[in-house]
Amino acid sequence: MNDPAVVRTLEERLFNAWPALQTVYCDGWLLRMAGGHTKRSNAASPFYPSTISGEELIRTVRTLYRKAGIEPMVRITPLAGEGIDAALASAGWTIYDETDVMVAPLADRVKMSGAPDAAVVLSEEPSQAWIDGAAGAYELADWQRDMLARIVGAIRVETAFATVYVDKQPVGFGLAVADRGYVGLYDLAVAPAARGSGAGQRMIGALLHWGRSHGAHTAYLQVRKTNVKAHALYQRLGFTVAYDYHCRRMARAG
């Protein structure tokens, strides 16, 4: 766990799979911005070894993100230099969204499990129906739906947009991104009424099968540490934790 080479390999693919609409480079840090939708594309993330101090990083992030109208946020991965997290903590930046990055080998043929009556439809491009359905499943505001459309429309590596149907009704949405031997699973969501039915597991299986057919030897995904049910599902599917990260954001007034 926390092997820098593995972390950098996965982080690079995470950036490609969920692009920012603007990136400012700052001494080994990527200050990514996409209108404030999702922390993945709206946080400063370490990538290369850096000599910047925690205090200077704080000043830079605060200035540039405020200029962009985005909440200043920093992702602390194992690639962050020594003292950065402590400096943010000392400045009152609070921990937000502790997350595990999990991986699973795809050496063997993917077994399709889950609800046998669930049908999964994959598309290489995000249709308006997929965007609207996914936005509804994620309970996004109108501006977030528009930003979701811009972000997924900017992905340049191979993609599969999944919709899972039960009784011809869409009950779940997800996205897989294949990039040089890895397939990442993103934004998996199932309607409350269909949760626990196996529809989500069916969708995951279809996306993993697609990834393997596109040359992936390893799958990866991100899951919040607090999402115990998802953790249990992914562990049953063979995923283990490769590394973890958390975000820090400025303490909110009041």
Side-chain angles (χ1 to χ4, degrees):
M1 183 173 171
N2 292 349
D3 179 342
V6 172
V7 176
R8 190 168 285 111
T9 291
L10 289 168
E11 284 288 295
E12 184 176 275
R13 286 160 175 79
L14 288 165
F15 296 148
N16 289 341
W18 201 257
L21 302 182
Q22 182 181 11
T23 301
V24 176
Y25 301 90
C26 180
D27 193 11
W29 285 78
L30 280 60
L31 279 59
R32 308 177 78 229
M33 306 173 195
H37 177 59
T38 79
K39 66 182 184 301
R40 284 169 284 171
S41 52
N42 290 279
S45 294
F47 193 59
Y48 293 113
S50 175
T51 60
I52 195 170
S53 68
E55 292 73 18
E56 184 179 354
L57 178 66
I58 289 170
R59 287 195 299 271
T60 302
V61 169
R62 188 168 52 202
T63 298
L64 294 181
Y65 279 71
R66 282 178 169 173
K67 184 177 181 180
I70 298 171
E71 179 184 23
M73 190 173 297
V74 177
R75 282 176 75 240
I76 299 296
T77 76
L79 300 179
E82 185 176 354
I84 295 293
D85 196 34
L88 288 162
S90 296
W93 289 49
T94 57
I95 289 180
Y96 170 66
D97 250 7
E98 294 178 289
T99 300
D100 286 327
V101 178
M102 305 181 75
V103 296
L106 294 179
D108 299 325
R109 182 178 179 180
V110 176
K111 295 180 181 180
M112 296 298 293
S113 57
D117 60 340
V120 182
V121 176
L122 303 181
S123 173
E124 294 181 355
E125 300 292 338
S127 66
Q128 190 61 51
W130 186 92
I131 291 168
D132 290 342
Y138 309 144
E139 298 182 344
L140 301 183
D142 288 345
W143 73 268
Q144 291 175 302
R145 179 191 60 204
D146 295 341
M147 195 57 64
L148 171 67
R150 291 184 64 187
I151 290 172
V152 297
I155 302 172
R156 293 295 172 259
V157 287
E158 291 184 290
T159 52
F161 295 86
T163 305
V164 57
Y165 294 86
V166 174
D167 294 332
K168 299 183 180 180
Q169 297 298 314
V171 299
F173 303 86
L175 167 65
V177 181
D179 187 357
R180 292 163 293 150
Y182 290 77
V183 58
L185 305 185
Y186 290 86
D187 281 23
L188 306 174
V190 175
R195 290 171 190 167
S197 68
Q201 190 170 342
R202 196 76 174 178
M203 177 171 62
I204 291 170
L207 291 172
L208 293 178
H209 178 79
W210 173 87
R212 190 171 183 271
S213 71
H214 283 70
H217 54 70
T218 303
Y220 69 90
L221 52 81
Q222 301 168 89
V223 58
R224 290 184 178 93
K225 289 181 179 289
T226 55
N227 195 339
V228 177
K229 289 184 178 180
H231 262 281
L233 170 61
Y234 298 143
Q235 287 170 358
R236 290 198 301 271
L237 295 175
F239 284 85
T240 58
V241 176
Y243 64 99
D244 59 8
Y245 69 82
H246 61 269
C247 291
R248 283 197 181 269
R249 59 185 178 185
M250 295 176 60
R252 296 182 176 180

